[in-house]
Amino acid sequence: MRVLIFIILAVLLLPLILLGYLIFFWRIRRVCIPQNISGTANEPYGGRLYMHVVGTRPDEAGYKLAWYLPSYGGIARLLIIDTLGLACKISGYKLWVFSYPGPRPSNMVTAISHRSYFFDESVKEALFRSSNPATQFVVLGSGFDTRCYNLPEGADIKCFEVDMAPTLNAKKRALELAGIAHEHVTFVETDFNQETWMEALLDSGFNPSLTTYILWEGVTMYLVEEAVRDTLNLIATLPAGSAVGMDFFSRDLIEGNPPYEKLSKATHRSISFYSESLRFGIATGKNLSDGLEELLKESGLTLIRFEHIGSLEDKKPPYYFLSLIEKQ
Ligand SMILES: C[S@@+](CC[C@H](N)C(=O)[O-])C[C@H]1O[C@@H](n2cnc3c(N)ncnc32)[C@H](O)[C@@H]1O
Protein backbone atom coordinates (compact mmCIF):
# COMPACT_ATOMS: atom_id res chain seq x y z
CA MET A 1 0.00 0.00 0.00
CA ARG A 2 2.82 2.39 0.94
CA VAL A 3 4.57 1.70 -2.36
CA LEU A 4 1.34 2.31 -4.27
CA ILE A 5 0.72 5.65 -2.55
CA PHE A 6 4.35 6.59 -3.22
CA ILE A 7 4.05 5.73 -6.92
CA ILE A 8 0.85 7.77 -7.30
CA LEU A 9 2.45 10.76 -5.57
CA ALA A 10 5.68 10.40 -7.55
CA VAL A 11 3.76 10.34 -10.85
CA LEU A 12 1.81 13.46 -9.82
CA LEU A 13 5.02 15.22 -8.78
CA LEU A 14 7.06 14.06 -11.80
CA PRO A 15 6.50 17.25 -13.87
CA LEU A 16 7.81 19.33 -10.95
CA ILE A 17 10.84 17.07 -10.49
CA LEU A 18 11.63 17.25 -14.24
CA LEU A 19 11.29 21.04 -14.17
CA GLY A 20 13.66 21.08 -11.18
CA TYR A 21 16.24 19.06 -13.11
CA LEU A 22 15.92 21.41 -16.10
CA ILE A 23 16.70 24.37 -13.86
CA PHE A 24 19.50 22.45 -12.14
CA PHE A 25 21.23 21.42 -15.38
CA TRP A 26 20.79 24.89 -16.86
CA ARG A 27 22.52 26.32 -13.78
CA ILE A 28 25.34 23.78 -14.02
CA ARG A 29 26.06 24.77 -17.63
CA ARG A 30 25.34 28.49 -17.40
CA VAL A 31 26.32 29.40 -13.84
CA CYS A 32 28.65 26.79 -12.30
CA ILE A 33 30.87 25.80 -15.24
CA PRO A 34 31.60 29.38 -16.36
CA GLN A 35 32.70 30.15 -12.78
CA ASN A 36 34.69 26.87 -12.46
CA ILE A 37 32.49 25.69 -9.60
CA SER A 38 32.63 21.88 -9.62
CA GLY A 39 29.60 20.32 -11.26
CA THR A 40 30.50 16.75 -10.36
CA ALA A 41 30.47 17.72 -6.66
CA ASN A 42 26.67 17.84 -7.01
CA GLU A 43 26.36 14.16 -7.91
CA PRO A 44 27.29 12.49 -4.60
CA TYR A 45 25.85 15.47 -2.77
CA GLY A 46 22.48 14.98 -4.48
CA GLY A 47 22.46 11.35 -3.31
CA ARG A 48 23.13 12.45 0.26
CA LEU A 49 20.36 15.08 0.02
CA TYR A 50 17.91 12.40 -1.08
CA MET A 51 18.97 10.11 1.78
CA HIS A 52 18.35 13.01 4.15
CA VAL A 53 14.83 13.80 2.96
CA VAL A 54 13.90 10.14 2.68
CA GLY A 55 14.97 9.84 6.31
CA THR A 56 17.67 7.17 5.98
CA ARG A 57 20.83 9.25 6.59
CA PRO A 58 20.35 12.58 8.37
CA ASP A 59 22.43 15.47 7.02
CA GLU A 60 20.77 18.64 8.26
CA ALA A 61 23.78 20.81 7.40
CA GLY A 62 23.86 19.47 3.84
CA TYR A 63 20.15 20.07 3.46
CA LYS A 64 20.35 23.67 4.69
CA LEU A 65 23.44 24.33 2.57
CA ALA A 66 21.69 23.26 -0.65
CA TRP A 67 19.25 26.16 -0.44
CA TYR A 68 22.08 28.63 -1.03
CA LEU A 69 24.23 26.82 -3.58
CA PRO A 70 24.27 27.95 -7.20
CA SER A 71 23.18 24.48 -8.35
CA TYR A 72 20.51 23.28 -5.91
CA GLY A 73 19.63 26.71 -4.51
CA GLY A 74 16.02 27.65 -3.73
CA ILE A 75 13.52 26.45 -6.32
CA ALA A 76 15.82 23.63 -7.58
CA ARG A 77 16.10 21.98 -4.16
CA LEU A 78 12.39 22.45 -3.66
CA LEU A 79 11.47 20.79 -6.97
CA ILE A 80 14.10 18.04 -7.10
CA ILE A 81 14.70 17.04 -3.50
CA ASP A 82 11.83 18.26 -1.34
CA THR A 83 9.12 16.89 -3.63
CA LEU A 84 10.51 13.38 -3.39
CA GLY A 85 10.96 13.76 0.37
CA LEU A 86 7.33 14.80 0.62
CA ALA A 87 6.17 11.75 -1.37
CA CYS A 88 8.16 9.49 0.98
CA LYS A 89 6.86 11.25 4.09
CA ILE A 90 3.20 11.08 3.06
CA SER A 91 3.39 7.48 1.86
CA GLY A 92 5.70 6.26 4.63
CA TYR A 93 7.78 4.51 1.95
CA LYS A 94 11.56 4.85 2.10
CA LEU A 95 12.65 4.61 -1.50
CA TRP A 96 15.08 1.61 -1.67
CA VAL A 97 17.50 3.48 -3.94
CA PHE A 98 18.22 5.78 -1.00
CA SER A 99 18.33 3.16 1.71
CA TYR A 100 21.29 3.43 4.07
CA PRO A 101 23.64 1.59 4.56
CA GLY A 102 22.00 0.00 1.54
CA PRO A 103 22.07 -3.57 0.19
CA ARG A 104 25.18 -5.74 -0.18
CA PRO A 105 26.29 -6.51 -2.74
CA SER A 106 25.56 -2.97 -3.83
CA ASN A 107 25.27 -1.84 -7.42
CA MET A 108 25.87 1.41 -9.26
CA VAL A 109 22.37 2.61 -8.32
CA THR A 110 22.97 2.16 -4.59
CA ALA A 111 26.68 3.04 -4.82
CA ILE A 112 26.27 6.39 -3.05
CA SER A 113 24.73 4.86 0.05
CA HIS A 114 27.39 2.12 0.13
CA ARG A 115 30.13 4.71 -0.35
CA SER A 116 28.66 7.15 2.22
CA TYR A 117 28.37 4.35 4.79
CA PHE A 118 31.92 3.14 4.17
CA PHE A 119 33.38 6.61 4.70
CA ASP A 120 30.99 7.58 7.54
CA GLU A 121 32.14 4.52 9.46
CA SER A 122 35.82 5.08 8.79
CA VAL A 123 35.58 8.76 9.83
CA LYS A 124 33.71 7.85 13.04
CA GLU A 125 36.17 5.11 13.87
CA ALA A 126 39.25 7.30 13.30
CA LEU A 127 37.96 10.35 15.17
CA PHE A 128 36.26 8.66 18.11
CA ARG A 129 38.25 5.49 18.88
CA SER A 130 39.59 5.37 22.43
CA SER A 131 43.23 4.83 21.52
CA ASN A 132 45.15 7.37 19.41
CA PRO A 133 42.11 9.05 17.83
CA ALA A 134 42.74 11.41 14.96
CA THR A 135 42.59 15.00 16.17
CA GLN A 136 42.90 16.51 12.70
CA PHE A 137 40.32 15.89 9.98
CA VAL A 138 41.13 16.87 6.42
CA VAL A 139 38.61 16.63 3.60
CA LEU A 140 40.50 16.66 0.31
CA GLY A 141 38.36 17.74 -2.64
CA SER A 142 35.60 18.53 -0.18
CA GLY A 143 33.03 19.79 -2.69
CA PHE A 144 29.73 20.02 -0.81
CA ASP A 145 30.60 17.39 1.79
CA THR A 146 29.22 18.33 5.21
CA ARG A 147 30.89 15.86 7.56
CA CYS A 148 32.78 18.71 9.28
CA TYR A 149 29.42 20.27 10.19
CA ASN A 150 27.79 17.13 11.50
CA LEU A 151 30.43 16.36 14.15
CA PRO A 152 29.14 15.90 17.70
CA GLU A 153 28.98 19.19 19.61
CA GLY A 154 32.17 19.94 21.52
CA ALA A 155 34.30 17.53 19.47
CA ASP A 156 37.86 18.85 19.71
CA ILE A 157 38.95 18.23 16.13
CA LYS A 158 40.82 20.57 13.79
CA CYS A 159 39.03 20.50 10.44
CA PHE A 160 40.35 21.42 7.01
CA GLU A 161 38.50 21.46 3.72
CA VAL A 162 40.68 21.53 0.63
CA ASP A 163 39.38 22.24 -2.85
CA MET A 164 39.79 24.65 -5.73
CA ALA A 165 38.91 28.26 -4.97
CA PRO A 166 35.64 28.65 -6.95
CA THR A 167 34.01 25.60 -5.34
CA LEU A 168 35.21 26.54 -1.86
CA ASN A 169 34.01 30.12 -2.28
CA ALA A 170 30.54 29.00 -3.37
CA LYS A 171 30.41 26.68 -0.37
CA LYS A 172 31.64 29.30 2.13
CA ARG A 173 29.04 31.77 0.89
CA ALA A 174 26.29 29.16 1.22
CA LEU A 175 27.47 28.19 4.73
CA GLU A 176 27.26 31.83 5.79
CA LEU A 177 23.82 32.40 4.26
CA ALA A 178 22.54 29.16 5.80
CA GLY A 179 23.88 30.17 9.22
CA ILE A 180 25.91 26.95 9.54
CA ALA A 181 28.74 27.36 12.07
CA HIS A 182 32.04 26.90 10.25
CA GLU A 183 34.55 28.69 12.48
CA HIS A 184 36.17 25.35 13.32
CA VAL A 185 36.92 24.68 9.65
CA THR A 186 39.92 26.06 7.76
CA PHE A 187 39.37 26.33 4.02
CA VAL A 188 42.40 25.72 1.86
CA GLU A 189 42.29 26.72 -1.78
CA THR A 190 44.59 24.67 -3.95
CA ASP A 191 44.97 22.39 -6.97
CA PHE A 192 46.16 18.84 -6.22
CA ASN A 193 47.65 18.60 -9.67
CA GLN A 194 50.20 21.21 -8.65
CA GLU A 195 53.16 20.06 -6.62
CA THR A 196 52.77 22.76 -4.00
CA TRP A 197 49.35 21.86 -2.68
CA MET A 198 50.67 20.43 0.60
CA GLU A 199 52.45 23.72 1.24
CA ALA A 200 49.09 25.50 1.03
CA LEU A 201 47.75 23.13 3.70
CA LEU A 202 50.81 23.64 5.94
CA ASP A 203 50.55 27.42 5.51
CA SER A 204 46.94 27.22 6.71
CA GLY A 205 47.89 25.74 10.07
CA PHE A 206 47.83 22.01 9.33
CA ASN A 207 50.00 20.27 11.93
CA PRO A 208 51.90 17.31 10.41
CA SER A 209 52.71 15.91 13.85
CA LEU A 210 49.07 15.23 14.79
CA THR A 211 47.28 11.95 14.07
CA THR A 212 45.11 12.81 11.09
CA TYR A 213 42.21 11.30 9.18
CA ILE A 214 42.05 12.31 5.54
CA LEU A 215 38.84 11.86 3.62
CA TRP A 216 39.60 11.66 -0.08
CA GLU A 217 36.19 10.75 -1.44
CA GLY A 218 35.30 10.98 -5.10
CA VAL A 219 38.53 12.74 -6.09
CA THR A 220 41.35 10.41 -7.23
CA MET A 221 39.70 9.74 -10.60
CA TYR A 222 40.00 13.45 -11.52
CA LEU A 223 43.71 13.69 -10.76
CA VAL A 224 46.90 12.85 -12.60
CA GLU A 225 48.73 9.74 -11.38
CA GLU A 226 51.61 11.77 -9.98
CA ALA A 227 49.23 13.76 -7.75
CA VAL A 228 47.80 10.55 -6.30
CA ARG A 229 51.28 9.08 -5.69
CA ASP A 230 52.56 12.33 -4.15
CA THR A 231 49.54 12.57 -1.86
CA LEU A 232 49.98 9.01 -0.62
CA ASN A 233 53.68 9.70 -0.03
CA LEU A 234 52.77 12.79 2.01
CA ILE A 235 50.25 10.84 4.07
CA ALA A 236 53.03 8.36 4.81
CA THR A 237 54.94 11.16 6.60
CA LEU A 238 52.12 11.65 9.15
CA PRO A 239 52.16 10.00 12.60
CA ALA A 240 51.22 6.32 13.01
CA GLY A 241 47.47 5.84 13.21
CA SER A 242 46.83 8.48 10.54
CA ALA A 243 44.63 7.19 7.76
CA VAL A 244 43.11 8.05 4.42
CA GLY A 245 39.76 6.90 3.09
CA MET A 246 39.78 6.95 -0.69
CA ASP A 247 37.77 5.53 -3.57
CA PHE A 248 38.93 4.85 -7.10
CA PHE A 249 37.95 3.48 -10.47
CA SER A 250 39.72 0.56 -12.11
CA ARG A 251 42.28 1.44 -14.74
CA ASP A 252 40.39 -0.76 -17.22
CA LEU A 253 37.29 1.42 -16.87
CA ILE A 254 39.25 4.65 -17.27
CA GLU A 255 41.17 3.32 -20.29
CA GLY A 256 38.18 1.59 -21.87
CA ASN A 257 39.76 -1.87 -21.86
CA PRO A 258 37.55 -4.98 -22.34
CA PRO A 259 34.90 -5.58 -21.11
CA TYR A 260 34.36 -1.90 -20.24
CA GLU A 261 34.63 -0.31 -23.71
CA LYS A 262 31.04 0.99 -23.88
CA LEU A 263 30.72 1.74 -20.18
CA SER A 264 33.96 3.68 -20.25
CA LYS A 265 32.78 5.82 -23.16
CA ALA A 266 29.45 6.50 -21.43
CA THR A 267 31.18 7.37 -18.15
CA HIS A 268 33.66 9.76 -19.80
CA ARG A 269 30.79 11.34 -21.75
CA SER A 270 28.67 11.90 -18.63
CA ILE A 271 31.56 13.56 -16.79
CA SER A 272 32.38 15.76 -19.79
CA PHE A 273 28.86 17.23 -19.42
CA TYR A 274 30.33 18.96 -16.35
CA SER A 275 33.40 20.05 -18.34
CA GLU A 276 35.51 17.82 -16.10
CA SER A 277 37.46 14.72 -17.04
CA LEU A 278 38.32 11.33 -15.59
CA ARG A 279 42.04 10.69 -15.67
CA PHE A 280 43.18 8.11 -13.18
CA GLY A 281 42.39 4.53 -12.31
CA ILE A 282 44.23 1.74 -10.52
CA ALA A 283 44.90 -1.71 -11.96
CA THR A 284 42.87 -4.38 -10.20
CA GLY A 285 44.34 -7.86 -10.70
CA LYS A 286 43.15 -11.22 -9.43
CA ASN A 287 42.26 -10.03 -5.95
CA LEU A 288 40.87 -6.66 -7.14
CA SER A 289 43.07 -4.97 -4.53
CA ASP A 290 46.37 -6.15 -6.09
CA GLY A 291 46.99 -2.91 -7.99
CA LEU A 292 46.28 -0.74 -4.96
CA GLU A 293 48.57 -2.83 -2.76
CA GLU A 294 51.28 -2.47 -5.40
CA LEU A 295 50.75 1.30 -5.48
CA LEU A 296 50.97 1.47 -1.68
CA LYS A 297 54.38 -0.25 -1.67
CA GLU A 298 55.98 3.04 -2.74
CA SER A 299 54.63 4.92 0.30
CA GLY A 300 54.70 2.01 2.77
CA LEU A 301 51.05 2.60 3.74
CA THR A 302 48.86 -0.37 4.70
CA LEU A 303 45.50 -1.30 3.22
CA ILE A 304 43.12 -1.84 6.15
CA ARG A 305 39.73 -2.22 4.50
CA PHE A 306 38.72 -2.76 0.89
CA GLU A 307 35.24 -3.04 -0.61
CA HIS A 308 33.85 -2.99 -4.10
CA ILE A 309 30.63 -1.72 -5.58
CA GLY A 310 28.73 -4.44 -7.41
CA SER A 311 28.84 -8.18 -7.21
CA LEU A 312 31.56 -10.61 -8.24
CA GLU A 313 28.78 -12.47 -10.05
CA ASP A 314 28.03 -9.49 -12.35
CA LYS A 315 28.82 -9.81 -16.06
CA LYS A 316 31.42 -7.08 -15.72
CA PRO A 317 33.82 -7.45 -12.78
CA PRO A 318 33.66 -4.60 -10.21
CA TYR A 319 35.28 -1.38 -11.37
CA TYR A 320 34.66 0.98 -8.47
CA PHE A 321 36.33 0.53 -5.08
CA LEU A 322 36.39 1.91 -1.55
CA SER A 323 39.48 1.71 0.60
CA LEU A 324 40.81 2.61 4.03
CA ILE A 325 44.56 2.99 4.16
CA GLU A 326 46.63 3.52 7.28
CA LYS A 327 50.07 4.66 8.33
CA GLN A 328 51.25 2.04 10.80
C1 LIG B 1 33.08 14.50 -7.34
S1 LIG B 1 33.53 15.81 -6.32
C2 LIG B 1 33.54 15.03 -4.71
C3 LIG B 1 33.25 16.01 -3.62
C4 LIG B 1 33.15 15.41 -2.22
N1 LIG B 1 34.38 14.80 -1.81
C5 LIG B 1 32.02 14.43 -2.14
O1 LIG B 1 32.26 13.22 -2.14
O2 LIG B 1 30.88 14.89 -2.08
C6 LIG B 1 35.24 16.08 -6.63
C7 LIG B 1 35.79 17.29 -5.89
O3 LIG B 1 37.21 17.32 -6.06
C8 LIG B 1 37.58 18.63 -6.41
N2 LIG B 1 38.77 18.53 -7.25
C9 LIG B 1 38.88 17.86 -8.44
N3 LIG B 1 40.12 18.03 -8.94
C10 LIG B 1 40.80 18.80 -8.05
C11 LIG B 1 42.11 19.32 -8.01
N4 LIG B 1 42.97 19.08 -9.02
N5 LIG B 1 42.46 20.09 -6.97
C12 LIG B 1 41.59 20.35 -5.97
N6 LIG B 1 40.33 19.88 -5.95
C13 LIG B 1 39.94 19.12 -6.97
C14 LIG B 1 36.40 19.21 -7.16
O4 LIG B 1 36.42 20.63 -7.13
C15 LIG B 1 35.23 18.60 -6.40
O5 LIG B 1 34.82 19.41 -5.35
Side-chain angles (χ1 to χ4, degrees):
M1 189 62 181
R2 284 179 181 181
V3 181
L4 187 68
I5 296 173
F6 173 81
I7 292 173
I8 293 170
L9 288 171
V11 168
L12 290 174
L13 291 169
L14 193 63
L16 295 180
I17 297 174
L18 292 178
L19 177 64
Y21 272 113
L22 264 180
I23 297 170
F24 172 82
F25 286 124
W26 184 88
R27 286 178 179 175
I28 293 284
R29 299 291 308 181
R30 296 301 167 104
V31 181
C32 298
I33 292 174
Q35 295 182 54
N36 292 322
I37 298 169
S38 171
T40 55
N42 291 287
E43 293 240 346
Y45 178 55
R48 295 191 296 266
L49 286 175
Y50 274 133
M51 286 188 272
H52 174 79
V53 293
V54 166
T56 51
R57 179 185 181 273
D59 181 5
E60 195 54 36
Y63 181 67
K64 280 190 193 162
L65 185 78
W67 193 257
Y68 299 100
L69 285 174
S71 48
Y72 278 110
I75 186 89
R77 192 199 76 182
L78 202 69
L79 294 174
I80 299 173
I81 307 289
D82 294 354
T83 42
L84 202 93
L86 185 72
C88 289
K89 212 169 265 170
I90 294 174
S91 64
Y93 174 61
K94 296 193 176 187
L95 194 55
W96 69 273
V97 179
F98 304 113
S99 55
Y100 178 86
R104 300 289 182 279
S106 57
N107 52 51
M108 284 317 276
V109 178
T110 57
I112 283 299
S113 67
H114 185 169
R115 160 175 154 175
S116 301
Y117 182 74
F118 182 93
F119 292 119
D120 286 346
E121 289 302 296
S122 67
V123 169
K124 253 190 267 167
E125 197 179 297
L127 301 185
F128 303 110
R129 65 190 171 212
S130 53
S131 158
N132 189 22
T135 52
Q136 229 168 196
F137 179 31
V138 181
V139 188
L140 289 184
S142 52
F144 306 129
D145 181 276
T146 45
R147 288 186 179 85
C148 289
Y149 313 96
N150 290 324
L151 291 174
E153 224 172 280
D156 188 15
I157 295 158
K158 272 176 98 173
C159 295
F160 295 84
E161 288 202 10
V162 188
D163 209 302
M164 293 205 258
T167 305
L168 274 187
N169 287 334
K171 184 177 192 177
K172 279 193 279 183
R173 183 174 174 274
L175 286 167
E176 264 151 41
L177 290 171
I180 298 168
H182 55 281
E183 298 71 23
H184 62 297
V185 182
T186 304
F187 297 92
V188 185
E189 297 171 4
T190 195
D191 180 344
F192 302 130
N193 287 331
Q194 289 175 6
E195 279 170 26
T196 51
W197 78 261
M198 187 66 181
E199 281 165 29
L201 188 58
L202 288 168
D203 289 347
S204 306
F206 175 81
N207 183 345
S209 58
L210 294 179
T211 305
T212 301
Y213 179 85
I214 296 180
L215 178 61
W216 205 14
E217 181 183 3
V219 189
T220 60
M221 47 292 268
Y222 300 99
L223 304 182
V224 294
E225 177 165 353
E226 214 183 344
V228 175
R229 286 183 185 276
D230 288 351
T231 304
L232 292 171
N233 286 334
L234 284 166
I235 293 167
T237 64
L238 297 175
S242 296
V244 56
M246 70 173 233
D247 53 347
F248 63 91
F249 280 134
S250 76
R251 185 180 291 166
D252 286 336
L253 179 84
I254 297 291
E255 293 180 354
N257 299 330
Y260 305 103
E261 301 94 324
K262 278 190 187 156
L263 187 64
S264 174
K265 264 192 197 142
T267 311
H268 282 286
R269 208 177 305 125
S270 69
I271 297 297
S272 69
F273 171 81
Y274 295 105
S275 289
E276 294 176 40
S277 45
L278 294 173
R279 295 167 163 177
F280 177 70
I282 301 179
T284 45
K286 202 169 162 225
N287 291 319
L288 297 178
S289 63
D290 290 348
L292 177 61
E293 304 220 45
E294 188 59 37
L295 179 72
L296 294 180
K297 276 187 190 156
E298 182 182 316
S299 54
L301 293 167
T302 307
L303 181 60
I304 297 290
R305 199 177 302 147
F306 183 80
E307 292 180 17
H308 54 82
I309 305 298
S311 164
L312 295 172
E313 313 298 317
D314 291 346
K315 257 197 214 157
K316 292 184 181 51
Y319 52 88
Y320 179 42
F321 307 95
L322 311 167
S323 64
L324 176 65
I325 295 159
E326 200 176 84
K327 164 76 186 288
Q328 292 193 323

